[in-house]
Amino acid sequence: MLQIDPTLFTDEAVSAETRTFLEKIEATLAEFPATNEVPIELTRKAREEGKGLFPIDGPLEGSDWMDYPGGQRRVRVSLPEGEPRGVYLHIHGGGWALGSPKYNDGENQRLAKACGLAVCSIEYRLAPEHPFPAGPDDCFAAAKWAIETLPWGDVPYFIGGESAGGHLSAVTLLRLREAGLLDRIKGAVLTYGCYDMRMAASARNWGERKLILNTPVITWFAEISIPEPADRENPMFSPILADLRGMPPALFSVGTADPLLDDTMTMAGRWVGAGNLAEMAVYPGGIHAFDAFRDLGIARGYAARKTAFLNGLLEL
């Protein structure tokens, strides 16, 4: 049963630590142009140089690239100590236009250690140079290759990602079902994804307040990724519209100060409504990408919840 505590959405539920963090982030962002106001190549260059708002979490030693035949890109592999108990297919965020698996090395190495999983983070082509379906095609190709080829035997597979990676994880699950491979996926970790490319109510109504995302930024990401508005109605691009029967157990996570709040809440409801198991983790005052700030209490809570969810499935 999917239950959501309404008190999590009150001002009183936001801790003093999170409130201070919110004030600091908003003040910092007010001094800089929004993502949609900067040439995308400059944003990518700054991230490559380790600059920007988010703490640096890679590249790190201990994670390595692996090519796969017939794919457009690579996967970046972080291994546990000893034989893997399973494989976690990770898809990074960045509005379908930014990011790289190597920037997630730290978190993926921590997850590999905590759960005994081989974490394979998928590199995919980015918009606007490569609009949909390029990115989804790459994610599916990598997932199919991993399921059919990786050398660790008949171990359970999981999939998950943050923001655009949460969206692409859901899209990849739909394509794996079409290919007859969905039974290999035993769980999904879907973190503050954008599942409605037409923009859900909270995204539409957020306005220009800058807490990582806002309405103009989300609109821009959607438009450069799917230039034709009619294509945003496609359930394979907007998985909130898809038939979700047969999906694996999923952990949905989102903060209450995230414009994509409605995407997660609605998708979790549809997941359960289609007869699937789901857990919902709501973090009072959590902004978009709050988990990247690992010293924050709600970020530590999220990491523990994700680890417990995956370990629980591994023990079934």
Side-chain angles (χ1 to χ4, degrees):
M1 180 182 297
L2 187 69
Q3 292 183 319
I4 304 173
D5 181 357
T7 65
L8 294 172
F9 300 86
T10 64
D11 289 340
E12 293 75 17
V14 181
S15 70
E17 178 196 44
T18 301
R19 197 178 302 277
T20 299
F21 173 76
L22 281 169
E23 292 170 356
K24 180 180 178 180
I25 285 290
E26 190 161 17
T28 299
L29 288 171
E31 300 178 1
F32 296 95
T35 305
N36 60 309
E37 299 169 345
V38 179
I40 199 161
E41 60 272 15
L42 295 184
T43 303
R44 291 172 179 165
K45 183 174 183 290
R47 189 65 184 271
E48 187 69 24
E49 294 172 349
K51 301 174 183 177
L53 181 67
F54 296 109
I56 298 172
D57 209 16
L60 300 175
E61 291 186 6
S63 296
D64 298 291
W65 292 107
M66 180 183 294
D67 295 322
Y68 58 92
Q72 297 293 333
R73 286 292 181 269
R74 308 166 289 179
V75 297
R76 191 160 174 88
V77 181
S78 302
L79 294 175
E81 296 180 5
E83 194 72 8
R85 303 167 68 198
V87 177
Y88 183 80
L89 301 171
H90 172 257
I91 306 179
H92 70 81
W96 309 281
L98 303 168
S100 166
K102 65 186 178 183
Y103 301 145
N104 296 89
D105 283 355
E107 173 56 25
N108 288 339
Q109 289 178 17
R110 289 186 290 273
L111 186 65
K113 181 178 180 180
C115 298
L117 293 170
V119 181
C120 299
S121 191
I122 297 169
E123 185 178 50
Y124 55 91
R125 286 171 291 175
L126 301 175
E129 298 91 337
H130 304 285
F132 282 21
D137 284 351
D138 291 345
C139 292
F140 170 69
K144 183 175 184 293
W145 163 81
I147 289 170
E148 294 178 341
T149 308
L150 287 178
W152 297 299
D154 190 24
V155 297
Y157 277 71
F158 306 90
I159 192 169
E162 307 77 36
S163 192
H167 164 272
L168 289 169
S169 294
V171 169
T172 301
L173 285 169
L174 293 172
R175 295 185 66 170
L176 289 172
R177 186 179 63 188
E178 283 191 344
L181 294 170
L182 188 60
D183 63 321
R184 293 299 306 278
I185 306 293
K186 304 305 181 184
V189 178
L190 304 177
T191 305
Y192 47 75
C194 179
Y195 307 109
D196 189 345
M197 299 298 288
R198 307 165 305 173
M199 295 183 63
S202 61
R204 287 175 180 266
N205 297 332
W206 181 265
E208 297 190 3
R209 183 187 181 193
K210 287 196 290 186
L211 283 177
I212 307 298
L213 290 181
N214 62 15
T215 300
V217 170
I218 299 168
T219 301
W220 178 73
F221 275 136
E223 289 177 348
I224 65 172
S225 301
I226 308 177
E228 178 54 55
D231 289 341
R232 297 174 209 148
E233 303 276 350
N234 184 339
M236 296 304 289
F237 294 163
S238 286
I240 200 82
L241 303 175
D243 176 356
L244 297 175
R245 287 176 292 181
M247 291 291 118
L251 172 63
F252 290 89
S253 303
V254 70
T256 62
D258 189 333
L260 298 180
L261 176 63
D262 282 2
D263 282 84
T264 289
M265 293 182 64
T266 304
M267 193 65 165
R270 289 221 58 235
W271 208 266
V272 172
N276 309 303
L277 297 175
E279 298 179 18
M280 179 80 174
V282 176
Y283 297 89
I287 63 171
H288 194 73
F290 71 90
D291 56 305
F293 302 89
R294 294 191 295 113
D295 291 335
L296 198 61
I298 55 174
R300 295 194 302 271
Y302 163 79
R305 181 74 178 267
K306 177 170 68 172
T307 297
F309 175 75
L310 291 168
N311 278 330
L313 292 175
L314 283 164
E315 292 163 5
L316 291 177

